[in-house]
C-alpha cells in the first residue's frame, strides 16, 4: 500500500518537472455559457433533473480538464538535427516524443517559436504549427520530422517547441513548452553571377587544365574520411581490402583560391558570402581543387564533400 | 486556439444526427405532429447529403431560399399554434425544429460545436416534461453520444476508432459522477421561479381532482383529456379519475404507524352549493370567517406527505389535522379545507399530524346556512321521500340511519361505470338507475339531509391508498379519489357519513384496489396464476419503492429536502455559506484524488506469470512459500520434496512455465499450462 502511494508520489514528482499550462478554449467558454443558461432554466422551472444534468455536464468539464492535462504530461522530447541546408531551404529536425505515462496521448500539435522578440504573454502569436502527432501509445515513442524556415545563415537552433492539445472535448487548450538545443547549420544562399576566378597562371595553362582536367590518374593513396565515394578505388579494395582513393594529377596552377578580396566591389557581406558559396559549389562540381580565403581565416586547397562542408561552414559562420 | 475552422467530415456529422434524433424522440410525443415531421425531414436531408451526395442549401440559391423559407414558415406556424409567449411547449418546439434546420447547414467546426451545445439543451427540455427514470437513462445515452461527437472532432479517426471514442466518453461520464453528486447535494438550491412562469409550466399532464362535482351528463372535457382532481370535481369526473393510476401523493407515516384503511380519509376541497347537477365550493369570501374548534379524541399520528403538483392551492390531509403543516405556508379555510399559500406547481413535501377521531365545531358553526341550501325546484321525488321519512323518524340520528338503511337495503349497486343519468339527476339515480359511484351517493345523501333540515356538505378527496411493504410508503393514486358527506349535529359538530360504505363496505375496508378488475392489478397473461401474480406484486412493490425514493430524493430534491438531507448527514443549520464551503473542500479533494489516481499504474502481468502465481498460491496454502530469491526450478525441487505424490505435476508445470517464460515458446502451450494448473490440487 505504502509502496503504491510512494510510486504515485514519484510519478507525480516526475510530471511536475515540465510545467503544463491550461486555459479554456473559445468552445470552453461557450460550454460555460451553456451551463449557466441551463442552470437558469433548471432553477426557474425548479427542475431537479435539470440541475442534475447541468451538474453532470459541469463535472464532465472538470474531468475534461484533468484529461487535457494528462494528455501532455510525462512526455520527453528528443530532437536530432538533420543535414545542413542553404538559407531559404527549410531546416529539418527529427523529433522523437517519448510517452512515459500509462495513458495514450492523442492529437498533439507541435509548434515552433517564430523568430523575433515576443513577450511572455504572447503564447499563441509567438508560435507556428510545424507538426501534428495523432497518437502516442502508452510507454512508447513516436517520431516526426519538423521543418523550420531559415532566414539567416549560421546555426539555426530548433529553439522552443510548444506541444499543445485540445483533446478530448476541445474545451481546454493545454500546452507546454520545451527548450531544445538541437541545431542545424545554415549555409549562405548560393547566389551571384560572377564566373569562377582565374586560377593563378597563364591562359594556356588554364586551357590545358580544362582539356586534361582531373581525369589524369596519378596514383592511389589511403582513403580519408570525407573524400567522395566515386573516387574510391573499388577494384583495389576488392584486392586487398584497404580503402584507397584514386588521385588525379592536377598541376599546381589548376588550384583555385576563392578570395574574399576578389569581391571587394560587392560591399554587402551577405552578397559576398553568397557568391563565395556559389563558387564553392561550382568548383566542387567541376572537380577543381579549391581553397578559401576569408579576412579572418583561410582553408588550403583541397576537394571532396568534407572540404566543401568545411568551406561552406566557414562561410555560414563568418562574422565580418 | 488557432486551429483551422474546417468542416467536420460526414461520419462525425452522422453521429451527431443520431444523438440529436434520440434526444428529440420524446418531443415527437409531447409536441404536435408537424414538429416531428419537420425535424425528421431536415435531418433526412443532411443524411441524404452525407450518404448519397444530395446538395445542401449552400450549393444553390434556390435550395437556400427553400431552407430559409421553410425555417421562417416553421416559426410562423409555431407562433400561430402556441401564441406569442414563448412558454415551455413553444420553446421546446422552436428548439427542436431550429436544431434540425441547423444540422442541414453545418459547415464549420463552429457550427458543429453550436449544434452539439443545442443538443445538450434539447436534453434538458425533455426533463421539463417528464423526470422518469427511463427518460434519464435515455438522456444519459444521448450525453455519451454527444460527448463522443465532440471527441471525434478533436482526434483523428485513424487513431481512435468509434468504439474507443464511445468508450472514452462513457468512462468520462462515469468519472464525472462523484463531482456531479457533490454538486447535486451541496450546490445551494435557489427556489424558483426567477421570472414568471408561463401557464404550461406546472402541468405535467397528469390527472387532478376538480373543484366541482357534476352529476349526470359529463360536460365536454375542458382539461385536455387529463384526468385527476381539476378545477371542477364532477360526479362523472371521479369515475373518470379512477381510470388513472397516476400518483396523487405519497405518505410516509412516522414509526410506520399506519391507521386502518377505513380511517384513511384524505380531506380535500369541501363542496357546498349545487344547481342540481354541478356541485361547487364556496369561495373563502362567501363563507363567514371562523376559527375552527377541533376536539381531538385519539392519539395523533405523524406523517409526511409528498404531493405531486396539481397546479391548485389545496393540500390533502388525513382527516383531521392537528395543525398546519410544517415546511409549507398554508391556511385553513373556514370549512376545514387546508390550502397552500401558492399553487402547487412542483412536487412538495409537508409534515402533518392528524387525529382520526375528532369533533369539529361542535359548539356551532357560522356557515350552517350554506349547508342547508337546496337548488330551487329540483329533485321533487327526493324531497317527497325526505318528507315521508321525516314524519316517521324520531330524531336527526334516526333520520340519518333511515337514509343509510335505504342505500343499504334497497337494490343500490356500487359501480365504477354507472349508466348516464338524464333529467333530474338525483331523482333518476335514487329511483331508477340505482347504480352509482361515490359521488352519486354523496350528492344524493346530502340532498336528502338538507331536505330534512340537517346541515350537510360534500367533502372530496381520496380514500385509502396502497401501502408498499418494501418501504412502508402509502401511495395514494388518482383512482383512490372519493367523495363523502359531512352532516352537522348539535353537540357533535360535523360528522363524517360515508353513504358509499352503506352500499359497498368493501370499498372502505380494502380500498379501491379490490374492486378493480384483475387486469388492472397485473398483466392479463399471468392473471390466472396466483403465484405469478404474487411474484409480480413483489417485483412491482420493489419497483414502486425505488420509484418513490427516486421521486422524493432525486426528482423532488429542492432547497427544503436539501436542508433536511444535510442536517441528517450532520450539518447543523445548513445555509448556503456552509454548503459552498463544504462543496469547495470536496471538489478540491476530488480533484486531488483524481489527479493521483490518474498516476496509478496497473502492474502489467503476462498471462504466463498470472498462471504461475496461481500455482504458487495453491502451494502456499499448504505452507510451501516461494521465496523471492528462489528460482522456479529450486522452488519446484523443494516442493517435490514436501509433496512427493505430486512430483510429476510440479515438474511438468515448472517445465512448461520455464519454456513459456524464458524461451518464449509456442504460445499454444499456454492453454496447456492453464489446464495443468487448474487440475493441480495438491493435498498433504
Amino acid at each position: 500500500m505504502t509502496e503504491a502511494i510512494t510510486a504515485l508520489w514519484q510519478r507525480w514528482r516526475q510530471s511536475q518537472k515540465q510545467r503544463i499550462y491550461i486555459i479554456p478554449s473559445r468552445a470552453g467558454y461557450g460550454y460555460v455559457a451553456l451551463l449557466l443558461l441551463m442552470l437558469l432554466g433548471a432553477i426557474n422551472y425548479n427542475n431537479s433533473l435539470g440541475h442534475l444534468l447541468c451538474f453532470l455536464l459541469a463535472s464532465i468539464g472538470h474531468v475534461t480538464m484533468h484529461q487535457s492535462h494528462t494528455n501532455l504530461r510525462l512526455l520527453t522530447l528528443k530532437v536530432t538535427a538533420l543535414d545542413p541546408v542553404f538559407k531559404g531551404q527549410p531546416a529539418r529536425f527529427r523529433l522523437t516524443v517519448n510517452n512515459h505515462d500509462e495513458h495514450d496521448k492523442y492529437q498533439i500539435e507541435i509548434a515552433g517559436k517564430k523568430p523575433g522578440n515576443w513577450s511572455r504573454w504572447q503564447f499563441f502569436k509567438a508560435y507556428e504549427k510545424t507538426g501534428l502527432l495523432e497518437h502516442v501509445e502508452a510507454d512508447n515513442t513516436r517520431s516526426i520530422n519538423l521543418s523550420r524556415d531559415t532566414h539567416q545563415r549560421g546555426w539555426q537552433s530548433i529553439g522552443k517547441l510548444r506541444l499543445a492539445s485540445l483533446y478530448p472535448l476541445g474545451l481546454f487548450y493545454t500546452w507546454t513548452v520545451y527548450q531544445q538545443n538541437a541545431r542545424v547549420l545554415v549555409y549562405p544562399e548560393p547566389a551571384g553571377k560572377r564566373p569562377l576566378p582565374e586560377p593563378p597562371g597563364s591562359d594556356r595553362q588554364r586551357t590545358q587544365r580544362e582539356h586534361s582536367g582531373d581525369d589524369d590518374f596519378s596514383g592511389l593513396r589511403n582513403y580519408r574520411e570525407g573524400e567522395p565515394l566515386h573516387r574510391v578505388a573499388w577494384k583495389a579494395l576488392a584486392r586487398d581490402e584497404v580503402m584507397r582513393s584514386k588521385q588525379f594529377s592536377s598541376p599546381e596552377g589548376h588550384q583555385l583560391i576563392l578570395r574574399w578580396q576578389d569581391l571587394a566591389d560587392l560591399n554587402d557581406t551577405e552578397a559576398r558570402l553568397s557568391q563565395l558559396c556559389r563558387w564553392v559549389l561550382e568548383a566542387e562540381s567541376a572537380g577543381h581543387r579549391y581553397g578559401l580565403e576569408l579576412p579572418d581565416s583561410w582553408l588550403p586547397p583541397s576537394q571532396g564533400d568534407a572540404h566543401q562542408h568545411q568551406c561552406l561552414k566557414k562561410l555560414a559562420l563568418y562574422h565580418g | 486556439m488557432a486551429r483551422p475552422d474546417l468542416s467536420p467530415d460526414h461520419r462525425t456529422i452522422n453521429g451527431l444526427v443520431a444523438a440529436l434524433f434520440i434526444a428529440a424522440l420524446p418531443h415527437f410525443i409531447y409536441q404536435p405532429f408537424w414538429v416531428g415531421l419537420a425535424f425528421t425531414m431536415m435531418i433526412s436531408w443532411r443524411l441524404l447529403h452525407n450518404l448519397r451526395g444530395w446538395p445542401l442549401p449552400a450549393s444553390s440559391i434556390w435550395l437556400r431560399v427553400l431552407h430559409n423559407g421553410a425555417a421562417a414558415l416553421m416559426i410562423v406556424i409555431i407562433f400561430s399554434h402556441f401564441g406569442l409567449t414563448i412558454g415551455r411547449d413553444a420553446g421546446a418546439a422552436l428548439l427542436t425544429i431550429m436544431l434540425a434546420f441547423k444540422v442541414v447547414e453545418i459547415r464549420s467546426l463552429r457550427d458543429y460545436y453550436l449544434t452539439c451545445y443545442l443538443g445538450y439543451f434539447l436534453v434538458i427540455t425533455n426533463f421539463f416534461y417528464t423526470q422518469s427514470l427511463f427518460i434519464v437513462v435515455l438522456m444519459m445515452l444521448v450525453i455519451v453520444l454527444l460527448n463522443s461527437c465532440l471527441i471525434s472532432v478533436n482526434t483523428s479517426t485513424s487513431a481512435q476508432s468509434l468504439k474507443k471514442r464511445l468508450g472514452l466518453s462513457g468512462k468520462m461520464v462515469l468519472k464525472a459522477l462523484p463531482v456531479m453528486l457533490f454538486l447535486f447535494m451541496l450546490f445551494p438550491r435557489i427556489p424558483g421561479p426567477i421570472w414568471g412562469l408561463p401557464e404550461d409550466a406546472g402541468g405535467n399532464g397528469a390527472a387532478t381532482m376538480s373543484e366541482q362535482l357534476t352529476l349526470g351528463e359529463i360536460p365536454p372535457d375542458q382539461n385536455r383529456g387529463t384526468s385527476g382532481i381539476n378545477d371542477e370535481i364532477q360526479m362523472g369526473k371521479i369515475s373518470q379519475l379512477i381510470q388513472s393510476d397516476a400518483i396523487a401523493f405519497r405518505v410516509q407515516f412516522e414509526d410506520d404507524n399506519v391507521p386502518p384503511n377505513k380511517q384513511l380519509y384524505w380531506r380535500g376541497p369541501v363542496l357546498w352549493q349545487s344547481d342540481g347537477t354541478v356541485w361547487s365550493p364556496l369561495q373563502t369570501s362567501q363563507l363567514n370567517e371562523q376559527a375552527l374548534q377541533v376536539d381531538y379524541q385519539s392519539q395523533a399520528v405523524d406523517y409526511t406527505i409528498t404531493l405531486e403538483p396539481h397546479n391548485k392551492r389545496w393540500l390533502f390531509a388525513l382527516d383531521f389535522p392537528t395543525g398546519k403543516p410544517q415546511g409549507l405556508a398554508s391556511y385553513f379555510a373556514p370549512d376545514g379545507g387546508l390550502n397552500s399559500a401558492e399553487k402547487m406547481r412542483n412536487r412538495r413535501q409537508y409534515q402533518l399530524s392528524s387525529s382520526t377521531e375528532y369533533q369539529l365545531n361542535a359548539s356551532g358553526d357560522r356557515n350552517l346556512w350554506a349547508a342547508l341550501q337546496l337548488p330551487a325546484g329540483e329533485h321533487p321525488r327526493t324531497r317527497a321521500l325526505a318528507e315521508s321519512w321525516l314524519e316517521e323518524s324520531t330524531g336527526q340520528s334516526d333520520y340519518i340511519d333511515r337514509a343509510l338503511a335505504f342505500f343499504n337495503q334497497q337494490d343500490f349497486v356500487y359501480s365504477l361505470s354507472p349508466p348516464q343519468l338524464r333529467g333530474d339527476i338525483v331523482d333518476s339515480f335514487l329511483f331508477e338507475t340505482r347504480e352509482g359511484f361515490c359521488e352519486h351517493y354523496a350528492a344524493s345523501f346530502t340532498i336528502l339531509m338538507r331536505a330534512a333540515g340537517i346541515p350537510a356538505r360534500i367533502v372530496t378527496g381520496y380514500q385509502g391508498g396502497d401501502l408498499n411493504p418494501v418501504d412502508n410508503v402509502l401511495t395514494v393514486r388518482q383512482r383512490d379519489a372519493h367523495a363523502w358527506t359531512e352532516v352537522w349535529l348539535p353537540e357533535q359538530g360535523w360528522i363524517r357519513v360515508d353513504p358509499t360504505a352503506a352500499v359497498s363496505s368493501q370499498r372502505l375496508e380494502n380500498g379501491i384496489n379490490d374492486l378493480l378488475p384483475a387486469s388492472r392489478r397485473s398483466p392479463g397473461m399471468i392473471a390466472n396464476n396466483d403465484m405469478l401474480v404474487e411474484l409480480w406484486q413483489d417485483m412491482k412493490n420493489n419497483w414502486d419503492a425505488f420509484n418513490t425514493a427516486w421521486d422524493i430524493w432525486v426528482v423532488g430534491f429542492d432547497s427544503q429536502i436539501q436542508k433536511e438531507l444535510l442536517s441528517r448527514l450532520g450539518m447543523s443549520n445548513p445555509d448556503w455559506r456552509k454548503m459552498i464551503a463544504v462543496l469547495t473542500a470536496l471538489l478540491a479533494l476530488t480533484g486531488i484524488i483524481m489527479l493521483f489516481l490518474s498516476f496509478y499504474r496497473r502492474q502489467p502481468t503476462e498471462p504466463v506469470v498470472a498462471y504461475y502465481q496461481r500455482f504458487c498460491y495453491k502451494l502456499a496454502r499448504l505452507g510451501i512459500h516461494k521465496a523471492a530469491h528462489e528460482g522456479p526450478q529450486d522452488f519446484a525441487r523443494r516442493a517435490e520434496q514436501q509433496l512427493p505424490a505430486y512430483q510429476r505435476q510440479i515438474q511438468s508445470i515448472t517445465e512448461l512455465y520455464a519454456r513459456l517464460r524464458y524461451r518464449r515458446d509456442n504460445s499454444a502451450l499456454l492453454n496447456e499450462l492453464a489446464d495443468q494448473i487448474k487440475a493441480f490440487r495438491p493435498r498433504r
Side-chain angles (χ1 to χ4, degrees):
Chain A
M1 185 65 194
T2 37
E3 256 173 56
I5 291 176
T6 319
L8 286 188
W9 179 256
Q10 292 293 334
R11 277 196 284 279
W12 180 74
R13 288 283 299 277
Q14 188 69 26
S15 75
Q16 290 309 101
K17 286 181 182 164
Q18 178 72 23
R19 181 169 292 184
I20 297 173
Y21 303 88
I22 184 163
I23 58 165
S25 66
R26 206 178 298 169
Y29 285 114
Y31 193 77
V32 171
L34 168 86
L35 289 187
L36 288 179
L37 204 64
M38 265 188 182
L39 187 63
L40 216 59
I43 289 173
N44 200 48
Y45 281 83
N46 260 334
N47 193 297
S48 192
L49 286 186
H51 281 93
L52 195 73
L53 176 73
C54 188
F55 297 149
L56 175 69
L57 290 180
S59 181
I60 286 177
H62 176 239
V63 172
T64 309
M65 188 177 81
H66 277 272
Q67 296 221 340
S68 299
H69 184 266
T70 306
N71 200 39
L72 284 184
R73 70 174 195 205
L74 291 174
L75 296 175
T76 52
L77 264 54
K78 205 181 129 210
V79 183
T80 13
L82 298 180
D83 302 332
V85 294
F86 295 98
K87 186 186 127 190
Q89 289 179 331
R92 286 166 60 247
F93 299 88
R94 182 94 180 139
L95 169 70
T96 304
V97 177
N98 197 342
N99 178 7
H100 303 281
D101 203 359
E102 211 201 15
H103 302 268
D104 286 17
K105 317 281 169 160
Y106 294 97
Q107 210 71 4
I108 298 174
E109 184 196 283
I110 292 148
K113 192 166 192 180
K114 287 191 269 187
N117 287 324
W118 301 96
S119 92
R120 260 191 85 185
W121 305 106
Q122 290 171 303
F123 308 116
F124 303 110
K125 276 189 195 161
Y127 290 88
E128 62 183 344
K129 183 181 165 180
T130 57
L132 178 73
L133 276 171
E134 284 186 347
H135 190 189
V136 188
E137 289 91 344
D139 297 315
N140 221 322
T141 57
R142 272 292 164 104
S143 301
I144 53 166
N145 284 342
L146 302 179
S147 62
R148 312 230 23 207
D149 290 342
T150 51
H151 300 289
Q152 60 192 59
R153 65 191 168 82
W155 288 112
Q156 167 110 5
S157 166
I158 183 86
K160 282 184 174 169
L161 277 183
R162 187 193 65 187
L163 269 60
S165 146
L166 281 159
Y167 184 83
L169 295 190
L171 305 182
F172 289 95
Y173 190 81
T174 324
W175 76 97
T176 175
V177 174
Y178 289 84
Q179 175 69 52
Q180 289 294 328
N181 299 321
R183 53 188 195 171
V184 161
L185 186 62
V186 181
Y187 304 142
E189 190 182 8
K193 291 174 184 152
R194 312 238 168 151
L196 275 175
E198 300 277 315
S202 66
D203 279 349
R204 195 193 55 77
Q205 270 181 319
R206 196 177 130 247
T207 327
Q208 189 202 347
R209 188 193 57 81
E210 273 175 1
H211 282 195
S212 56
D214 279 10
D215 297 335
D216 294 346
F217 177 72
S218 63
L220 291 171
R221 71 149 197 251
N222 279 350
Y223 180 80
R224 283 180 300 186
E225 200 69 22
E227 282 183 314
L229 283 176
H230 62 83
R231 296 245 169 123
V232 172
W234 296 109
K235 285 181 189 161
L237 175 68
R239 207 167 45 234
D240 56 9
E241 293 190 8
V242 177
M243 212 163 172
R244 295 189 182 86
S245 62
K246 290 178 265 190
Q247 295 298 312
F248 298 90
S249 69
S250 243
E252 195 65 11
H254 290 197
Q255 290 189 6
L256 295 175
I257 300 296
L258 309 172
R259 288 195 180 84
W260 174 262
Q261 289 93 322
D262 290 353
L263 298 166
D265 51 330
L266 287 176
N267 44 16
D268 180 22
T269 313
E270 293 306 314
R272 280 175 158 185
L273 291 170
S274 285
Q275 181 62 69
L276 285 170
C277 173
R278 187 174 195 95
W279 281 349
V280 168
L281 295 178
E282 283 175 2
E284 176 67 26
S285 66
H288 298 312
R289 287 174 63 80
Y290 55 93
L292 185 67
E293 201 180 296
L294 293 176
D296 57 349
S297 60
W298 76 286
L299 283 170
S302 176
Q303 61 186 162
D305 284 350
H307 179 65
Q308 173 178 294
H309 172 70
Q310 287 303 321
C311 295
L312 291 177
K313 187 174 176 183
K314 275 265 184 285
L315 295 177
L317 300 177
Y318 173 75
H319 286 288
Chain B
M1 194 107 294
R3 61 182 155 179
D5 204 15
L6 297 174
S7 173
D9 70 8
H10 288 167
R11 257 186 286 172
T12 58
I13 292 180
N14 289 348
L16 179 60
V17 167
L20 293 179
F21 183 73
I22 300 176
L25 213 50
H27 282 299
F28 294 179
I29 300 162
Y30 315 131
Q31 302 284 352
F33 74 95
W34 42 265
V35 174
L37 192 70
F39 184 88
T40 318
M41 276 170 64
M42 282 300 136
I43 62 167
S44 308
W45 187 353
R46 184 77 215 196
L47 288 178
L48 284 169
H49 167 77
N50 289 355
L51 301 174
R52 293 281 167 86
W54 284 31
L56 284 184
S59 64
S60 97
I61 180 122
W62 292 111
L63 286 176
R64 212 150 46 229
V65 167
L66 178 68
H67 182 253
N68 292 345
L73 181 70
M74 290 319 294
I75 291 175
V76 170
I77 293 178
I78 287 169
F79 279 123
S80 61
H81 187 269
F82 293 105
L84 281 171
T85 43
I86 293 280
R88 179 192 64 173
D89 290 337
L94 196 67
L95 181 67
T96 313
I97 288 178
M98 289 307 126
L99 193 52
F101 275 87
K102 182 76 199 163
V103 166
V104 182
E105 52 172 27
I106 294 178
R107 269 154 56 196
S108 64
L109 205 54
R110 197 175 148 271
D111 290 339
Y112 193 85
Y113 265 89
L114 185 67
T115 317
C116 260
Y117 287 0
L118 288 176
Y120 286 123
F121 214 84
L122 190 63
V123 169
I124 202 177
T125 57
N126 275 305
F127 296 145
F128 294 147
Y129 288 88
T130 166
Q131 307 198 51
S132 72
L133 204 58
F134 171 71
I135 214 81
V136 170
V137 171
L138 194 70
M139 290 304 126
M140 278 289 181
L141 175 71
V142 175
I143 295 291
V144 171
L145 288 176
L146 283 175
N147 282 350
S148 74
C149 285
L150 287 185
I151 295 173
S152 70
V153 291
N154 282 297
T155 182
S156 65
T157 42
S158 55
Q160 257 181 324
S161 64
L162 176 68
K163 203 174 139 198
K164 272 193 182 168
R165 292 199 299 267
L166 285 174
L168 172 68
S169 169
K171 227 184 278 174
M172 284 173 73
V173 169
L174 286 182
K175 280 186 190 167
L177 291 182
V179 170
M180 178 195 79
L181 203 65
F182 295 147
L183 283 168
F184 187 75
M185 291 201 315
L186 284 159
F187 187 86
R189 293 302 181 91
I190 303 157
I194 304 170
W195 69 89
L197 280 184
E199 273 310 300
D200 53 7
N204 57 352
T208 45
M209 207 170 250
S210 70
E211 229 157 38
Q212 292 179 326
L213 213 52
T214 310
L215 299 162
E217 286 145 62
I218 302 158
D221 204 338
Q222 299 116 319
N223 283 295
R224 282 218 249 152
T226 62
S227 67
I229 298 199
N230 279 324
D231 278 38
E232 320 177 326
I233 291 193
Q234 307 161 343
M235 265 325 212
K237 261 273 149 98
I238 286 191
S239 56
Q240 275 191 340
L241 275 188
I242 197 163
Q243 304 299 332
S244 164
D245 286 340
I247 292 168
F249 52 90
R250 296 183 173 98
V251 193
Q252 175 90 58
F253 285 94
E254 206 73 19
D255 308 324
D256 298 332
N257 183 8
V258 187
N261 199 66
K262 63 179 175 188
Q263 288 181 4
L264 294 176
Y265 279 87
W266 303 101
R267 191 185 184 90
V270 179
L271 309 183
W272 293 88
Q273 56 184 1
S274 165
D275 63 355
T277 311
V278 178
W279 282 82
S280 47
L282 284 176
Q283 298 301 318
T284 313
S285 56
Q286 292 169 282
L287 288 166
N288 292 320
E289 267 184 49
Q290 61 179 357
L292 298 170
Q293 312 148 17
V294 198
D295 180 13
Y296 301 100
Q297 292 169 343
S298 67
Q299 183 80 36
V301 286
D302 297 325
Y303 54 95
T304 306
I305 289 187
T306 310
L307 181 66
E308 297 295 311
H310 52 49
N311 227 0
K312 302 278 174 274
R313 284 166 184 267
W314 57 64
L315 303 170
F316 297 96
L318 184 63
D319 227 1
F320 194 90
T322 55
K324 287 196 281 188
Q326 288 167 8
L328 194 66
S330 59
Y331 61 93
F332 277 107
D335 56 17
L338 185 58
N339 291 284
S340 154
E342 44 190 40
K343 289 186 175 180
M344 303 305 288
R345 282 199 162 123
N346 298 294
R347 181 179 288 114
R348 290 300 297 270
Q349 270 196 343
Y350 50 91
Q351 283 97 41
L352 275 173
S353 118
S354 289
S355 171
T356 48
E357 279 169 46
Y358 60 93
Q359 280 195 331
L360 176 61
N361 287 353
S363 55
D365 191 293
R366 295 180 62 201
N367 291 308
L368 293 182
W369 60 271
L372 286 167
Q373 290 191 334
L374 285 170
E378 297 279 332
H379 324 313
R381 292 176 71 187
T382 310
R383 288 184 196 213
L385 179 70
E387 263 163 47
S388 72
W389 286 350
L390 202 53
E391 278 171 26
E392 296 167 23
S393 62
T394 52
Q396 288 185 322
S397 311
D398 184 45
Y399 179 86
I400 293 169
D401 288 343
R402 237 169 232 278
L404 289 176
F406 174 71
F407 283 127
N408 186 241
Q409 282 151 25
Q410 301 284 328
D411 54 346
F412 280 95
V413 177
Y414 180 83
S415 165
L416 297 180
S417 49
Q420 285 269 300
L421 296 167
R422 298 186 188 286
D424 189 305
I425 303 293
V426 174
D427 280 3
S428 69
F429 170 67
L430 282 183
F431 299 102
E432 283 153 33
T433 67
R434 296 199 165 179
E435 246 186 83
F437 194 56
C438 58
E439 66 256 45
H440 300 95
Y441 292 99
S444 42
F445 185 80
T446 307
I447 296 288
L448 281 169
M449 291 302 117
R450 288 188 180 180
I454 304 174
R457 61 192 186 186
I458 297 179
V459 184
T460 58
Y462 297 88
Q463 206 284 322
D466 307 327
L467 188 68
N468 189 333
V470 176
D471 55 1
N472 275 308
V473 168
L474 185 88
T475 306
V476 179
R477 295 170 191 277
Q478 295 301 345
R479 64 173 187 230
D480 297 312
H482 193 51
W484 61 91
T485 305
E486 278 185 339
V487 295
W488 190 86
L489 297 179
E491 314 284 308
Q492 296 180 52
W494 290 104
I495 299 170
R496 184 199 309 133
V497 181
D498 190 350
T500 312
V503 181
S504 165
S505 55
Q506 241 191 327
R507 166 72 180 86
L508 301 180
E509 300 290 343
N510 305 325
I512 192 88
N513 228 342
D514 280 8
L515 296 170
L516 293 171
S519 60
R520 283 284 294 281
R521 281 177 279 152
S522 57
M525 282 156 63
I526 61 163
N528 297 325
N529 186 328
D530 283 349
M531 219 176 73
L532 283 182
V533 170
E534 207 168 292
L535 188 72
W536 167 258
Q537 279 295 342
D538 222 38
M539 275 162 49
K540 202 167 167 305
N541 284 338
N542 278 298
W543 175 243
D544 286 350
F546 181 73
N547 261 319
T548 302
W550 171 261
D551 278 354
I552 291 176
W553 293 107
V554 180
V555 177
F557 198 85
D558 58 3
S559 50
Q560 178 201 350
I561 297 182
Q562 184 179 37
K563 282 195 179 109
E564 198 190 306
L565 176 78
L566 292 178
S567 25
R568 264 201 222 177
L569 289 176
M571 190 189 278
S572 54
N573 289 326
D575 64 355
W576 66 268
R577 280 187 208 88
K578 282 186 194 167
M579 290 184 208
I580 290 284
V582 176
L583 183 62
T584 318
L586 274 176
L587 289 187
L589 195 66
T590 326
I592 292 170
I593 291 175
M594 274 174 73
L595 182 67
F596 273 94
L597 282 185
S598 75
F599 283 103
Y600 174 74
R601 235 169 182 202
R602 274 181 298 272
Q603 286 302 321
T605 15
E606 283 182 67
V608 187
V609 179
Y611 287 133
Y612 188 71
Q613 279 169 353
R614 178 104 200 111
F615 168 74
C616 293
Y617 172 72
K618 283 184 172 182
L619 286 171
R621 274 193 308 197
L622 298 179
I624 309 166
H625 297 276
K626 181 172 179 287
H629 57 81
E630 206 171 17
Q633 298 293 351
D634 293 341
F635 177 57
R637 229 166 286 135
R638 201 158 58 83
E640 281 163 24
Q641 278 170 11
Q642 297 200 32
L643 296 168
Y646 298 94
Q647 194 176 2
R648 278 188 53 195
Q649 272 184 302
I650 294 172
Q651 266 178 9
S652 161
I653 288 171
T654 310
E655 193 183 321
L656 267 176
Y657 170 69
R659 280 178 69 178
L660 282 163
R661 179 104 173 99
Y662 300 112
R663 280 202 265 154
R664 305 257 165 213
D665 258 10
N666 186 0
S667 61
L669 290 176
L670 192 64
N671 291 333
E672 206 186 320
L673 178 71
D675 290 343
Q676 287 199 13
I677 287 171
K678 206 173 169 190
F680 180 61
R681 292 212 182 81
R683 264 165 225 267
R684 282 203 185 261

